[in-house]
Amino acid sequence: YVLTHLNPEDRFGLFAFSTGLNSYGNGLQPVSATDSARQWVRALRAEGGTNIHLALLEALADVEAGSTRPAILIFLTDGLATEGVVDSGQILDAVGQAAPDNVRLFAFGVVDDVDTFLLDSLVEAHHGASSYVRPGARLDEAVSGFYAKVSTPVLADLALTVSGGIALADVYPFPLPDLFAGSQLVIAGRYTGGGPATIRLAGTVNGQPRTYTYGDQSFAEAS
């Protein structure tokens, strides 16, 4: 489904991982290669273990560091790390060191034997989101809805500020994830001060800066 719905200017890479790793082609591929890539995907078979560490690092190696264009990394899995580095903390540290700033990591977990701590921690650290499909759920609907959201970034690199004597603290989620079509962002946190204030949400749209200002806001005096 994802290969069929790529944008004309997109490039893609595919990595199938079990005990080891198998990649489609060398480096990122143009959209013109999707017919061959779909045949490659259809020939995949589930076998061996689950080397999550190797798969993520190999995928990240294809990302162009320094690019202003977001690199969307979609991580699909149905289990836990069983091969190579299996400690979730070590995997998180390795991915954090290897991921360029423009990476947006999205996790898609299937059935119940998924390391939700690892997946949720990965997407939180890399401006993404996670989705899970329980046994018996419609996988095709879940994938199509998931990809419709992640393929259409609206506002990236978000920053929230409040003026007027309001000091924010313990803001969650941190860092703020990107906003995508049809999605919403709920932010929680603490503040000191109170009274009238102006809220500003800044980010980039297609690499261009954009700021949304909401004046005439009122904060109750914090107790």
Side-chain angles (χ1 to χ4, degrees):
Y1 181 91
V2 172
L3 289 168
T4 302
H5 292 83
L6 291 173
N7 298 310
E9 69 276 10
D10 286 342
R11 292 181 296 161
F12 70 93
L14 295 170
F15 296 87
F17 61 99
S18 54
T19 303
L21 185 80
N22 186 20
S23 63
Y24 173 81
N26 295 314
L28 297 177
Q29 304 293 311
V31 172
S32 59
T34 53
D35 286 344
S36 173
R38 283 194 290 268
Q39 295 297 324
W40 185 84
V41 170
R42 291 190 184 102
L44 293 175
R45 297 293 180 266
E47 58 186 8
T50 307
N51 198 329
I52 290 175
H53 178 264
L54 176 63
L56 290 175
L57 293 189
E58 287 294 324
L60 288 169
D62 272 357
V63 176
E64 296 178 352
S67 173
T68 58
R69 185 179 182 184
I72 304 298
L73 175 56
I74 302 177
F75 173 42
L76 304 100
T77 182
D78 65 349
L80 308 168
T82 61
E83 299 287 343
V85 177
V86 299
D87 179 77
S88 295
Q90 294 183 38
I91 294 174
L92 290 169
D93 288 343
V95 172
Q97 294 177 27
D101 291 340
N102 61 321
V103 166
R104 303 296 184 261
L105 198 158
F106 294 84
F108 192 87
V110 183
V111 305
D112 288 335
D113 295 330
V114 178
D115 188 345
T116 56
F117 167 77
L118 174 61
L119 268 58
D120 290 346
S121 298
L122 283 169
V123 302
E124 180 180 330
H126 300 285
H127 304 275
S130 52
S131 298
Y132 298 100
V133 181
R134 301 295 302 277
R138 288 288 301 270
L139 185 59
D140 56 345
E141 293 179 358
V143 170
S144 60
F146 171 75
Y147 186 66
K149 179 176 70 174
V150 305
S151 62
T152 315
V154 175
L155 191 64
D157 301 317
L158 270 63
L160 179 72
T161 58
V162 180
S163 60
I166 306 298
L168 299 180
D170 299 330
V171 175
Y172 179 86
F174 180 83
L176 295 179
D178 294 346
L179 274 175
F180 290 81
S183 67
Q184 63 179 354
L185 176 61
V186 178
I187 301 173
R190 302 175 184 274
Y191 70 90
T192 56
T198 297
I199 299 175
R200 290 183 176 85
L201 182 65
T204 59
V205 178
N206 295 323
Q208 300 300 313
R210 187 75 59 85
T211 300
Y212 299 89
T213 301
Y214 305 91
D216 299 324
Q217 304 298 309
S218 180
F219 283 71
E221 289 288 343
S223 58

